């Protein structure tokens, strides 16, 4: 029985609709991101792990589990500067921005590395589960960890932003890179993600845009799987690079992660209109 809940016709009420305007916004964001990029090359400093003899930290009464931010292809953690600031202002205290190597040549290997990072975060913070926000390739890496490596025991909610869940045909000249080939429709990785995933405990929220030039077709950024609990949220007129930095998307992410009142073991609050979509003012 399908557990998919989609928000097909629903869209974030953003007023940027013209493709030209979306492209101009992406270009401006790309220019700003170039300035921030060097600061994000070095891996984020982390607190020392708890010693083996230490008692587990209590999580009872904590508002939010840790949030792990995972960037896209040939990018780094600097893409999440604004989103991280937004989450911190609204009460998220455990935030981790992970870098994976730009030389990464296999999504499966990157997913295994993500799993090790998440185990370390859980051990350090005392939380049993985390939430993950993945942009583009980062969302695909996290989804592979959930579905194929048992990561649904660790990831409560996975939010993807412009992730090619069904593969993308954009930028054909990039096929020389093995990771790009893995992101093509029909690749072995994409086919593995179509396999049955009965009992998957992770909740998925996929933000997709009708103005994303790197998703071809744009509907590839939707998750369609009968075994997964999914909300697909259309963000109208926002380009690929704008998804992690747009304030309306940030508000949608905060809503999807549970607002201000959900505890670690609870599911995020349902939309007020009961439609299965996420509305952001």
């Amino acid at each position: 029985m399908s557990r998919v809940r989609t928000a097909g016709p629903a869209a974030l009420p953003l007023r940027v609709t013209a493709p030209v305007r979306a492209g101009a916004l992406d270009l401006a964001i790309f220019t700003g991101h170039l300035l921030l990029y060097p600061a994000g090359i070095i891996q984020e400093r982390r607190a020392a792990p708890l010693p083996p003899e230490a008692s587990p930290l209590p999580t009872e009464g904590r508002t939010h589990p840790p949030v792990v931010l995972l960037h896209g292809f040939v990018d780094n953690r600097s893409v999440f500067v604004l989103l991280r600031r937004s989450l911190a202002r609204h009460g998220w205290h455990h935030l981790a921005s992970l870098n994976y190597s730009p030389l990464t040549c296999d999504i499966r290997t990157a997913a295994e590395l993500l799993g090790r990072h998440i185990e370390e975060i859980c051990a350090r913070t005392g939380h049993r589960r985390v939430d993950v926000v993945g942009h583009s390739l980062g969302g695909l890496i996290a989804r592979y960890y959930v579905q194929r490596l048992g990561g649904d025991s660790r990831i409560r909610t996975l939010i993807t932003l412009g992730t090619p869940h069904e593969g993308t045909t954009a930028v054909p000249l990039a096929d020389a890179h093995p990771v790009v080939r893995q992101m093509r429709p029909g690749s072995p990785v994409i086919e593995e993600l179509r396999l049955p995933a009965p009992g998957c405990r992770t909740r998925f929220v996929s933000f997709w845009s009708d103005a994303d030039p790197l998703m071809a077709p744009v509907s590839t950024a939707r998750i369609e799987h009968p075994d997964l609990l999914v909300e697909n949220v259309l963000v109208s007129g926002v380009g690929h690079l704008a998804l992690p930095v747009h304030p309306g998307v940030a508000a949608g992410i905060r809503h999807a992660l549970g607002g201000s009142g959900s505890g670690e073991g609870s599911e995020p609050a349902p939309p007020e209109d009961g439609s299965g979509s996420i509305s952001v003012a």
Side-chain angles (χ1 to χ4, degrees):
M1 181 177 179
S2 174
R3 299 170 58 211
V4 176
R5 291 191 296 137
T6 62
L12 298 177
L14 308 175
R15 298 294 177 254
V16 185
T17 56
V20 172
R21 192 174 299 180
L25 178 61
D26 251 13
L27 180 60
I29 290 170
F30 176 73
T31 303
H33 188 39
L34 285 179
L35 299 176
L36 291 173
Y37 191 92
I41 293 175
I42 300 174
Q43 191 72 266
E44 181 176 88
R45 291 185 63 184
R46 302 190 186 95
L50 294 173
E53 65 274 10
S55 302
L57 295 176
T59 59
E60 201 172 323
R62 294 189 183 184
T63 306
H64 303 293
V67 176
V68 178
L69 306 171
L70 197 61
H71 62 80
F73 184 59
V74 297
D75 208 342
N76 63 38
R77 61 187 177 88
S78 63
V79 73
F80 289 118
V81 165
L82 295 180
L83 177 59
R84 183 177 181 134
R85 188 178 303 165
S86 172
L87 290 171
R89 279 202 312 264
H90 287 83
W92 276 265
H93 302 299
H94 295 290
L95 299 166
S97 302
L98 301 182
N99 277 353
Y100 54 88
S101 171
L103 302 178
T104 297
C105 293
D106 183 49
I107 288 174
R108 301 176 186 90
T109 301
E112 292 173 359
L113 179 60
L114 172 63
R116 292 197 291 272
H117 280 305
I118 289 176
E119 290 296 327
E120 183 270 327
I121 290 168
C122 288
R124 175 163 45 85
T125 64
H127 284 271
R128 297 186 306 276
R129 305 183 82 190
V130 304
D131 294 328
V132 175
V133 179
H135 179 226
S136 195
L137 173 60
L140 208 59
I141 291 170
R143 183 179 170 189
Y144 192 92
Y145 168 61
V146 166
Q147 285 185 235
R148 307 300 299 163
L149 301 178
D152 63 320
S153 66
R154 286 300 191 191
I155 295 182
R156 182 190 71 145
T157 299
L158 171 57
I159 295 176
T160 65
L161 311 173
T163 291
H165 292 288
E166 297 294 325
T168 177
T169 60
V171 198
L173 296 181
D175 277 353
H177 198 292
V179 165
V180 174
R181 293 197 298 271
Q182 289 183 334
M183 290 191 286
R184 295 305 190 197
S187 76
V189 166
I190 297 298
E191 291 303 313
E192 282 186 65
L193 294 177
R194 289 177 176 166
L195 293 174
C200 182
R201 289 162 283 185
T202 297
R203 172 178 175 263
F204 295 82
V205 182
S206 176
F207 288 82
W208 66 287
S209 172
D210 56 7
D212 188 339
L214 295 185
M215 299 297 106
V218 292
S219 61
T220 190
R222 294 168 53 92
I223 299 177
E224 306 289 351
H225 194 295
D227 293 331
L228 304 180
L229 179 62
V230 178
E231 291 182 46
N232 289 304
V233 183
L234 170 61
V235 184
S236 186
V238 174
H240 190 75
L241 294 177
L243 285 168
V245 302
H246 198 286
V249 177
I253 290 170
R254 295 196 307 270
H255 181 99
L257 292 178
S260 60
S262 71
E264 181 181 12
S266 63
E267 291 298 328
E272 292 182 4
D273 61 4
S275 65
S277 64
I278 296 175
S279 298
V280 180

